[in-house]
Amino acid sequence: MDNKSAYPMEKTSPSSSTVEPVGTGQVGKLRSRMPGFSLAVKQEESSFARTPNASNADFDPIPPSKRTWNWGAYVAYWMADAWAVSNWEVASSMIAVGLSWKMAIGACVLGNTLMGLVITTNGRIGATLHTPFPVLARMPFGYYFSYFVVLSRCVLAIVWLGVQTTTGGQCMEVLLTAIWPSFANIPNTIPLSEGITTGGMCAFVLYFLLQLPFLCIPYTKVQYFFACKSVIAPIVFIAIFGSTLHKAGGTISNSSVITGIGEPKINGSLLVWAFFSNLNGVLGNYATLGLNIADFSRYANKPSAQNVQAIVIPIVFTIVGLLGIFTAAAAEPAYGKVMWNPIDIVKLWMESGSHASRAAAAFAAIGLLIVTLGINISANSISAANDLMAFCPKYINIRRGQLLAAVIGSWAFVPWKILASAAKFLAFLGGYTIFLGPMTSILMTDYFIVRKTKVSVPDMYDFHGIYRYSPKFGTNWRAVVAFFIGCTPALPGFVDNIQQAGGQKTSVTIGGQHLFAIGYIYSFFAAGIFYWLFNRFFPHHESMLDHAETGEDVIAANDAKNAQERRASWSEGHKPSVVSRAFQV
């Protein structure tokens, strides 16, 4: 197209061409004390951004040498993500509302299979273009509205990072109590309304400090940590299951979880809608990653490497859910009550006071610490960092973004209080899928159906490129209208769900409640269909291309040049230490 922006083939890095040299006496105190530190982060010479304010080395398309994730890395990633306390407990709410354990597993299998397909299909975009989600969002939504989409995802990631940090603090408290039993007797000086004790706060602070170095692991090497966790986590959870089953006498057939005795009984249409409601909950569990999976698939060494997700996700998540059900069932005869939280079971191991039980609890707590660390890295911190980069790429890269998200999520959102008392807020987070579904659908529809994969990566980094749509508003009205068509009808049910979580009633009709029960599915298909129709009858010709432009030649050439310079530097004796290389991207 004549009006399509083209990237310059021989342009120099803005960091070297536009920044004025600093004169003598103008160096700040921080820079004089830390000569290797710079507030502005590195920008690649191959960057398609016109200024350092628009991108950096982490925000640019991933160069070939840093595409280090093969299919095994994605297996390890989802193994690390699936073995988590939240997935272990996923069936608890389903059984509580009247579903049998078999129907609960059915909802898990169907929901995770559907989400696996969404994640794999959407992940293909990142694996092909190697750009992060905030950049891809500019393609269908336009530059300015994409910031709303990114902010919506960013807030969720940061909140859940804080919630997982609270879970990690609980694991740390178990570990400290197992090593020093007197830790449990620390006097509490924090009001009960805060939802945490003095001992719990000490453990929370220690876990927060523990996770910071792990957040600094570069994305080119973090898959090795996932591989480590994918081995440790199953051992820990299976040990908890085995111990509980042994204490229960080796049988769970008489548990109310299995027999259904004492549990709510529903049938007919109530049962059907309860199933759909919980299916929607399973879909919502990873709707966030369904939207921004490009933040991880961009590291794929080839586009097909991430296809294994479609198989791994339903299998692993179903196994974890099953073990959670069977462990809760075994806990009833073993400990006198159904127990869904594995941390509570580990705490009971210490009641005998023996050295063996304390040692077992300590090792289990260490394993659970690794579990929560992996979740915060895989599902929360990297995603939040990519989103934060979109707002200030000159000063925020992935590492800084992860640390910033950890501080905000762990302290600004007071996550221990959210878990203790904010039922409405948790319902809000759980129902947020009605907004994520349309965003995901619009992104996939735009790339695969409307544009047929013919997009321009350089224009995604150019604020005056073809994806600006409107010179004044910088927004694609087709995507905005389709988004609201997708999420608005489910809003009454969304509000009703929040109010019910707080013990209140609303006048929302049963139809509105049922629509919210299938909120993700409805919003996904409604937004996608309307977005396609708008582009079919009101196309934006200026952004339609006859071939894809990824800028791969520019990226690869600069990557080869950087690799050659690095080898030359090492040959001259400037090879970094082992520790430096471990944390070097």
Side-chain angles (χ1 to χ4, degrees), residues 96-422:
V97 298
L99 265 63
S100 68
W101 71 271
K102 293 180 181 179
M103 289 193 71
I105 287 299
C108 291
V109 172
L110 180 57
N112 288 317
T113 299
L114 293 175
M115 189 49 64
L117 294 174
V118 170
I119 287 173
T120 304
T121 305
N122 200 17
R124 184 80 179 188
I125 307 175
T128 302
L129 304 180
H130 302 286
T131 53
F133 158 70
V135 174
L136 293 176
R138 297 168 180 172
M139 182 173 56
F141 293 101
Y143 296 110
Y144 293 142
F145 195 76
S146 71
Y147 285 114
F148 167 77
V149 175
V150 172
L151 181 63
S152 301
R153 171 66 185 98
C154 183
V155 171
L156 277 182
I158 291 176
V159 171
W160 285 120
L161 195 157
V163 169
Q164 284 295 333
T165 301
T166 303
T167 302
Q170 295 170 353
C171 299
M172 179 65 75
E173 188 173 7
V174 173
L175 175 61
L176 295 174
T177 304
I179 299 174
W180 299 287
S182 59
F183 184 83
N185 299 324
I186 293 178
N188 180 41
T189 58
I190 299 177
L192 293 176
S193 60
E194 293 301 314
I196 194 170
T197 63
T198 300
M201 179 58 74
C202 292
F204 179 86
V205 172
L206 289 174
Y207 177 82
F208 172 78
L209 295 175
L210 172 68
Q211 77 175 343
L212 295 183
F214 289 91
L215 298 182
C216 293
I217 300 175
Y219 54 79
T220 53
K221 301 180 179 73
V222 74
Q223 70 268 33
Y224 302 117
F225 175 74
F226 293 152
C228 178
K229 184 201 163 181
S230 68
V231 174
I232 295 174
I235 293 174
V236 172
F237 281 106
I238 291 173
I240 293 173
F241 166 66
S243 169
T244 309
L245 184 63
H246 175 74
K247 190 173 179 64
T251 180
I252 58 174
S253 58
N254 295 324
S255 171
S256 61
V257 175
I258 303 300
T259 63
I261 297 175
E263 299 291 343
K265 297 291 184 181
I266 56 174
N267 49 48
S269 62
L270 287 177
L271 180 63
V272 172
W273 285 110
F275 177 85
F276 278 115
S277 178
N278 285 283
L279 172 64
N280 193 63
V282 174
L283 291 170
N285 199 25
Y286 279 88
T288 48
L289 274 172
L291 174 62
N292 74 299
I293 188 61
D295 288 338
F296 299 94
S297 63
R298 64 192 293 230
Y299 307 134
N301 58 2
K302 56 183 178 179
S304 61
Q306 58 95 45
N307 291 349
V308 71
Q309 297 177 115
I311 301 172
V312 173
I313 291 174
I315 292 176
V316 178
F317 279 79
T318 299
I319 292 173
V320 174
L322 267 174
L323 283 176
I325 291 173
F326 294 155
T327 303
E332 189 171 19
Y335 299 108
K337 60 180 178 179
V338 176
M339 301 180 69
W340 289 98
N341 192 333
I343 299 175
D344 293 336
I345 295 176
V346 173
K347 286 180 180 178
L348 293 176
W349 292 358
M350 296 184 289
E351 286 189 347
S352 67
S354 67
H355 293 298
S357 61
R358 285 168 51 197
F363 283 117
I366 292 172
L368 291 173
L369 282 174
I370 296 173
V371 166
T372 53
L373 283 171
I375 287 290
N376 260 353
I377 295 173
S378 63
N380 299 319
S381 68
I382 292 180
S383 301
N386 278 284
D387 296 338
L388 289 171
M389 273 197 302
F391 296 100
C392 197
K394 183 177 181 179
Y395 298 107
I396 299 178
N397 57 15
I398 287 182
R399 183 169 296 168
R400 292 181 185 181
Q402 287 182 276
L403 296 175
L404 180 60
V407 171
I408 297 173
S410 300
W411 299 106
F413 283 102
V414 286
W416 56 86
K417 198 163 186 177
I418 291 176
L419 284 178
S421 59

Side-chain angles (χ1 to χ4, degrees), residues 433-506:
T433 54
I434 65 169
F435 304 107
L436 301 179
M439 296 174 185
T440 307
S441 177
I442 289 170
L443 178 60
M444 293 170 61
T445 303
D446 184 81
Y447 181 76
F448 290 107
I449 300 176
V450 174
R451 305 187 190 281
K452 297 180 173 60
T453 73
K454 298 170 184 177
V455 299
S456 171
V457 172
D459 277 293
M460 296 180 195
Y461 289 89
D462 183 359
F463 279 88
H464 299 283
I466 60 177
Y467 302 120
R468 187 175 179 87
Y469 293 101
S470 165
K472 182 178 181 181
F473 299 105
T475 297
N476 183 6
W477 67 265
R478 302 159 192 80
V480 175
V481 175
F483 168 75
F484 284 107
I485 289 176
C487 68
T488 303
L491 280 177
F494 176 59
V495 174
D496 176 77
N497 183 59
I498 295 173
Q499 292 297 100
Q500 286 195 24
Q504 299 173 321
K505 297 291 185 180
T506 67

